[in-house]
Amino acid sequence: MSYVKHEPCEQCGSRDNKAVYADHSYCFGCHHVEFFTFHNRRIGGVKDTGAAVVSLPEDIVPTIPAVADSWIRKYDLTISELHANRVVWSEYRQLLIFPYFDDKQHLWGWQGRYFGKDPNHPKWTGKGNFKEQIKVYHPLTGIIKNGIILLEEDIISTIKTSRIYNSTCIFGSYIDINKYIKIYNLYKPSKFCIWLDKDKEKDSRLFSLQFNKLGIPSEVISTELDPKEYSNEEIRRFIES
């Protein structure tokens, strides 16, 4: 299933909830589906850049089953946050999928949390060019100008802290300094706050030292648990203490 773009939905009036694929469209708001015939098939006008095409699994639905819902509730993500981030479910693959889009609403990657019974299956899997893409999550009111930017390992922590602060996911534990120089120059944050897992504290301090040598203010936040494990009030206290 080749993804093309997001666009307004004629059925419910949403601004960009309708995802257009090569052979159909689907609205994540009202769940309206339109299949394209040979005569009304959309090409999409997407320029071929030579980059690998990233597609979501063909069986995705916005309805999250109980097994994944109970897991996501542990981290207090709301239905509106799941909807805003277009989180979907693949029954065949048993994946809770977090898609990632650029500013033009083009899909560039996705990660899926596995809930199947295969003990050898990776807990997380995905596709996309995570090294090149830049995405900063922010509160509903918009980017906080000259505010801090949190750097975190996983997408759930990133979504949760972005309720309060500008946040970005490094998709792992390695920070590409050159990539975050671009983010610094683009957003002009007051500083980077590196909040990785407890066992990565030494690495975090090395990354912070590299930033500081480049004249980019940064600090390390070290806690016993991942950011996603904490409440809004606890997150605020860790950041502002």
Side-chain angles (χ1 to χ4, degrees), residues 53-67:
V53 175
V54 177
S55 300
L56 291 166
E58 296 182 3
D59 65 329
I60 57 168
V61 293
T63 306
I64 298 174
V67 62

Side-chain angles (χ1 to χ4, degrees), residues 131-198:
K131 292 182 179 180
E132 299 295 329
Q133 295 293 334
I134 293 174
K135 182 174 178 63
V136 174
Y137 294 74
H138 54 76
L140 291 175
T141 52
I143 286 282
I144 302 173
K145 293 183 178 180
N146 304 121
I148 66 169
I149 294 182
L150 290 170
L151 277 59
E152 296 154 290
E153 289 189 37
D154 67 273
I155 186 58
I156 296 177
S157 291
T158 303
I159 292 172
K160 194 166 182 179
T161 60
S162 71
R163 297 169 178 173
I164 312 170
Y165 304 102
N166 302 329
S167 305
T168 186
C169 184
I170 66 173
F171 303 107
S173 58
Y174 174 75
I175 297 176
D176 183 338
I177 297 297
N178 289 324
K179 177 178 177 178
Y180 286 90
I181 289 174
K182 294 179 182 178
I183 289 181
Y184 181 78
N185 290 333
L186 183 62
Y187 292 97
K188 306 296 184 184
S190 59
K191 63 182 175 181
F192 284 143
C193 291
I194 304 172
W195 193 352
L196 308 185
D197 292 353
K198 181 67 175 179

Side-chain angles (χ1 to χ4, degrees), residues 12 21 57 67 75 111 116 127 141 150 165 167 200 207 211:
C12 67
Y21 302 90
V67 62
Y75 306 115
Q111 287 182 306
K127 292 183 179 180
T141 52
L150 290 170
Y165 304 102
S167 305
K200 298 296 181 183
F207 289 131
F211 281 132

Side-chain angles (χ1 to χ4, degrees), residues 1 6 17 19 21 24-33 56-66 68-69 72 78-91 95-99:
M1 179 173 59
H6 266 83
N17 275 343
Y21 302 90
H24 75 286
S25 65
Y26 176 79
C27 179
F28 287 85
C30 66
H31 313 313
H32 178 75
V33 179
L56 291 166
E58 296 182 3
D59 65 329
I60 57 168
V61 293
T63 306
I64 298 174
D69 183 67
I72 206 74
T78 66
I79 293 175
S80 61
E81 286 172 327
L82 296 177
H83 177 77
N85 288 280
R86 302 189 177 106
V87 178
V88 291
W89 172 257
S90 168
E91 179 66 23
L95 291 176
L96 183 67
I97 295 175
F98 294 78

Side-chain angles (χ1 to χ4, degrees), residues 3-20:
Y3 171 83
V4 176
K5 62 180 179 178
H6 266 83
E7 64 179 27
C9 176
E10 300 89 346
Q11 300 297 316
C12 67
S14 67
R15 184 173 62 86
D16 61 358
N17 275 343
K18 186 167 77 171
V20 179

